[in-house]
Amino acid sequence: MKIGIVGTGQVGATAAYSLVMQGIGNSIVMVDRNEAMARAQAQDIIHATPFAAPINVYPGGYDDLDGAGIVVLAAGVSQKPGETRIQLLDRNAAVFADVIPAVLKAAPNALLIVATNPVDIMTHVAQTISGLAPERVIGSGTVLDTARFRSLLAGRLSVSPKSVHAHVLGEHGDSEVLHWSGATIGGLPVNRYADQIGRPLTAADHETIDAGVRRAAYTIIEGKGATYYGIGAGIAHIARAITSDQRTVITVSKVESSVMGVGPVAMSLPRVVGAGGILSTLQPELTDGEHQALVASAEILFDAARQVSKIPV
């Protein structure tokens, strides 16, 4: 499958690199308004293919997206000093208003994976502009937050992250909800597993892990300016589920007419992802506190979306 990457900065380029290293797709076309950047990124990544998969990676324009089954949207602008979040959202929505019609003109059957932040609102923008069915517009959502949750639990309990099943729901941002009550290892609730191995999880452990997940981006950005390795791998994970029709459960963002009485809103829930995009959405069992927190997250996203001119709500 041909995969397009629109926006070849750190996130877009790292996503392309992750696709190559994991052998996902058979060709990757990199599109950017800065053509020199797209050429340089493609050339750098193609030099890694002798050590990974023989995937053709090349720069191109929108016309070169013809036949792409997936297009990753990683284009966007940076926040200016003194600029509000909504002003930034409107500028990024304007970018999408230019980009998405050009993408769909060349690749009308492509699934869109949205990586531009704030990803939930930009997923809503992308679905509105594109007019595509919501299941064909997939926001990366909390795929990375879920990975952070699993990795921190795994580190605390000395088990492989692949054996940890836990999800982060709602916004990819401060209001996200760690679904502690649904977290399991080896078929056991995570707290029971911890007790069985003699390493019980304390309230302090819960707070430390919650902060580690919720504040990870701030810590990384403070240290090196941006996050890109984790989300690059997360985008590749979503793309593999599509290209291989894996029907994998992934916490990704999608526009819903209503979530717990709030909507329309784009937010993350566990969703089955395969060749057709988002095939179904799961409704996790929640404690009262988790339910209230998820409603609050949905309301925050709904209120933000109402202020973006490209979203009619």
Side-chain angles (χ1 to χ4, degrees):
M1 180 185 289
K2 178 192 284 188
I3 299 174
I5 308 271
V6 178
T8 63
Q10 290 171 319
V11 171
T14 307
Y17 179 71
S18 296
L19 292 167
V20 166
M21 298 308 289
Q22 297 182 51
I24 301 169
N26 54 32
S27 63
I28 299 171
V29 56
M30 305 189 71
V31 180
D32 199 291
R33 63 184 299 178
N34 183 341
E35 295 178 3
M37 169 75 83
R39 284 195 302 271
Q41 297 285 34
Q43 184 177 18
D44 196 10
I45 294 168
I46 200 73
H47 294 163
T49 57
F51 310 112
I55 294 174
N56 186 23
V57 184
Y58 57 98
Y62 289 107
D63 288 347
D64 295 292
L65 296 171
D66 180 32
I70 297 170
V71 176
V72 177
L73 300 178
V77 295
S78 300
Q79 194 164 8
K80 296 177 179 179
E83 185 175 40
T84 68
R85 182 170 181 256
I86 297 304
Q87 288 171 330
L88 173 63
L89 278 167
D90 269 334
R91 288 203 299 132
N92 270 332
V95 170
F96 272 26
D98 289 335
V99 166
I100 291 173
V103 167
L104 294 179
K105 181 179 178 181
N109 297 317
L111 300 176
L112 303 181
I113 298 178
V114 181
T116 301
N117 273 323
V119 70
D120 301 294
I121 307 300
M122 294 310 297
T123 299
H124 205 152
V125 169
Q127 195 276 324
T128 300
I129 292 172
S130 70
L132 295 175
E135 59 268 18
R136 293 181 58 195
V137 183
I138 306 169
S140 58
T142 59
V143 65
L144 177 55
D145 309 271
T146 288
R148 289 167 173 161
F149 189 18
R150 293 176 180 181
S151 68
L152 289 174
L153 276 171
R156 172 64 181 82
L157 298 173
S158 299
V159 67
S160 167
K162 291 183 178 296
S163 295
V164 180
H165 298 277
H167 298 107
V168 177
L169 314 173
E171 178 193 15
H172 171 57
D174 293 343
S175 73
E176 64 191 21
V177 180
L178 277 65
H179 187 203
W180 279 98
S181 68
T184 64
I185 301 176
L188 294 172
V190 67
N191 286 328
R192 192 175 304 168
Y193 173 89
D195 291 341
Q196 284 196 16
I197 66 168
R199 303 187 66 176
L201 289 169
T202 65
D205 290 326
H206 279 244
E207 291 174 5
T208 298
I209 290 171
D210 188 286
V213 174
R214 201 178 301 276
R215 304 296 299 176
Y218 297 101
T219 302
I220 294 168
I221 290 169
E222 182 180 355
K224 67 172 192 172
T227 70
Y228 39 91
Y229 291 123
I231 190 56
I235 291 166
H237 181 58
I238 298 167
R240 181 188 291 279
I242 294 167
T243 59
S244 300
D245 194 21
Q246 288 185 332
R247 298 171 181 254
T248 304
V249 175
I250 310 175
T251 50
V252 289
S253 191
K254 168 181 171 284
V255 176
E256 301 280 0
S257 59
S258 176
V259 177
M260 300 178 178
V262 180
V265 65
M267 60 187 292
S268 287
L269 291 168
R271 307 184 193 272
V272 179
V273 180
I278 294 173
L279 306 180
S280 59
T281 296
L282 307 180
Q283 302 298 326
E285 295 184 359
L286 306 169
T287 65
D288 289 344
E290 290 167 345
H291 182 275
Q292 292 170 9
L294 193 57
V295 170
S297 186
E299 289 174 340
I300 287 169
L301 289 168
F302 175 72
D303 288 342
R306 291 172 64 192
Q307 300 177 65
V308 180
S309 59
K310 297 295 180 183
I311 302 176
V313 294

